[in-house]
Amino acid sequence: MSDSGLVYVVWEVTLQCDLACKHCGSRAGKPRGDELTTDEAMDVVKQLAEMGAVEVTMIGGEAYLRDDWHLIARAIKAHGMQCTMTTGGRGMTPERARQAKESGIDNVSVSIDGIGATHDTQRGLKGSYDAAIAAIDNLTAAGCTATVNTQVNKLSFSEIDRILDEILIPRKLHAWQVQLTVPMGRAADRPEWLLQPDDLLEVTPKLAELAERGAKSGVFMWPGNNVGYFGPHEATLRGRAVRNDRHWSGCTAGKHTLGIESDGAIKGCPSLPTSQYVGGHTRERRIRDIWDGTKELRFTRDRTKGDLWGFCKSCYYADECRAGCTWTSHVFFGKPGNNPYCHHRALEHRRQGLRERLVRAEAAPGLPFDHGRFDIVVEPIDAPRPDDAGKSARKLPLVT
């Protein structure tokens, strides 16, 4: 590891997108008005290499909609870093797949959030599921490694087995990243899609089961930063993602991870809200200076147990966990330090005959990387579960 500590970079090279995903945290669609030029992007690549970054993932919007995406990819590889990409896959044609391979992209992760209509509903476009499957096949045919990433929510969870059995295993895809949908961007406008904390009592064991079953077929699950935390399935879920200790060891934003927005805004994680977590811009300061010298990038390095609140402050694992994923906490409550998406926490509440319920108290304003605010209700575990409109709501699975 370099002296900076930086390992992994996620770079939104453009906000332009050819989908209109209803859970998109950045509300992608049109490009930003002041996105980095090719020359400015090349300077960013050089700075990342100087900091010792190991891997750079190109995202959007949709990265391939930027005319010079393949040039950026080539530069990343030429500077000794791994280059990967995440895509919705609508326009990953055979030609673009070959271009990705020729540009040195090591891996392309295609988003799959259910089967058929379930995926299309979330991606905001009929036919997007078929396009994503075609993208996987086009990439494989071009000799580029394809993997899958999945948003886990009330729509996708009922089809989570099918994603493994019908897509990953038959195509011999080796990796599958799963992440819990949280209320950022357009997802904040759809609280009915979100898991409730006690849903993790069902979701987490299921993900662990799929991780074990997938591994037997050569499919390895990589849990996102808001999955797991110290429950009985932690080693199964996170054993490949964490060195040695096989459990969650704290948020890596600004510690080993960096996010870059397409206008050169720098933050510790690509998912964090822009307004609170941007430490500077590449047009104004060197990335290393922003990384070393701004509180917006140093918050995980400087965080202590005293910065936590709610359940997380009193948790047995507080010193090690530091409230899990900062992104998840902040977009629920408007501040970090108390993460409701924790399997250990759900188990502790169940042991007391209780559960937590998240209730939207404030809507999101409608900006990229925005969020509203939720309140936590602690109630008996067998209490009727109302939805946002006060009506009786069904527990998982929600069938679309």
Side-chain angles (χ1 to χ4, degrees), residues 26 52 67 71 80 202 210 213 236 305 349 369 375 394 400:
S26 64
D67 291 340
L71 300 178
E202 181 178 355
L210 294 175
R213 186 154 59 82
T236 299
K305 182 178 176 180
H349 279 99
F369 295 103
D375 292 332
R394 290 175 293 179
T400 58

Side-chain angles (χ1 to χ4, degrees), residues 287-300:
I287 298 174
R288 181 62 185 261
D289 292 340
I290 298 170
W291 174 268
D292 286 339
T294 64
K295 61 182 178 58
E296 290 87 356
L297 273 290
R298 293 192 58 89
F299 70 93
T300 54

Side-chain angles (χ1 to χ4, degrees), residues 11-192:
W11 186 355
E12 172 208 277
V13 296
T14 181
L15 199 58
Q16 184 177 1
C17 195
D18 51 14
L19 290 170
C21 301
K22 296 178 181 178
H23 51 18
C24 178
S26 64
R27 300 184 185 267
K30 296 180 180 180
R32 298 179 194 271
D34 55 351
E35 294 185 341
L36 298 179
T37 66
T38 300
D39 287 345
E40 289 172 330
M42 294 303 170
D43 184 59
V44 167
V45 172
K46 181 180 178 182
Q47 290 186 57
L48 296 176
E50 291 171 348
M51 291 178 67
V54 175
E55 179 180 349
V56 181
T57 296
M58 298 169 60
I59 66 168
E62 190 60 78
Y64 59 63
L65 293 179
R66 181 174 168 130
D67 291 340
D68 60 357
W69 68 276
H70 59 294
L71 300 178
I72 297 172
R74 287 182 186 276
I76 291 167
K77 288 292 292 185
H79 281 79
M81 298 174 285
Q82 298 174 34
C83 183
T84 54
M85 178 187 284
T86 298
T87 178
R90 181 184 178 188
M92 185 55 73
T93 61
E95 293 75 21
R96 279 198 176 113
R98 288 193 293 270
Q99 197 170 27
K101 175 65 176 177
E102 292 166 0
S103 300
I105 292 179
D106 300 298
N107 174 83
V108 179
S109 180
V110 180
S111 300
I112 302 287
D113 296 331
I115 305 296
T118 302
H119 175 96
D120 286 358
T121 295
Q122 294 175 76
R123 293 287 158 180
L125 181 71
K126 187 175 182 179
S128 60
Y129 173 78
D130 291 338
I133 296 300
I136 293 172
D137 294 339
N138 290 338
L139 288 161
T140 302
C144 194
T145 300
T147 60
V148 168
N149 66 84
T150 297
Q151 291 270 335
V152 181
N153 52 50
K154 287 190 176 181
L155 276 69
S156 64
F157 181 68
S158 62
E159 298 176 354
I160 198 83
D161 289 86
R162 294 181 63 188
I163 295 174
L164 176 65
D165 294 334
E166 298 178 20
I167 299 172
L168 285 126
I169 291 177
R171 289 172 172 79
K172 297 181 170 56
L173 305 182
H174 76 275
W176 185 19
Q177 184 181 56
V178 294
Q179 186 97 338
L180 306 184
T181 302
V182 302
M184 169 173 270
R186 296 192 191 110
D189 304 334
R190 295 168 175 83
E192 70 277 7

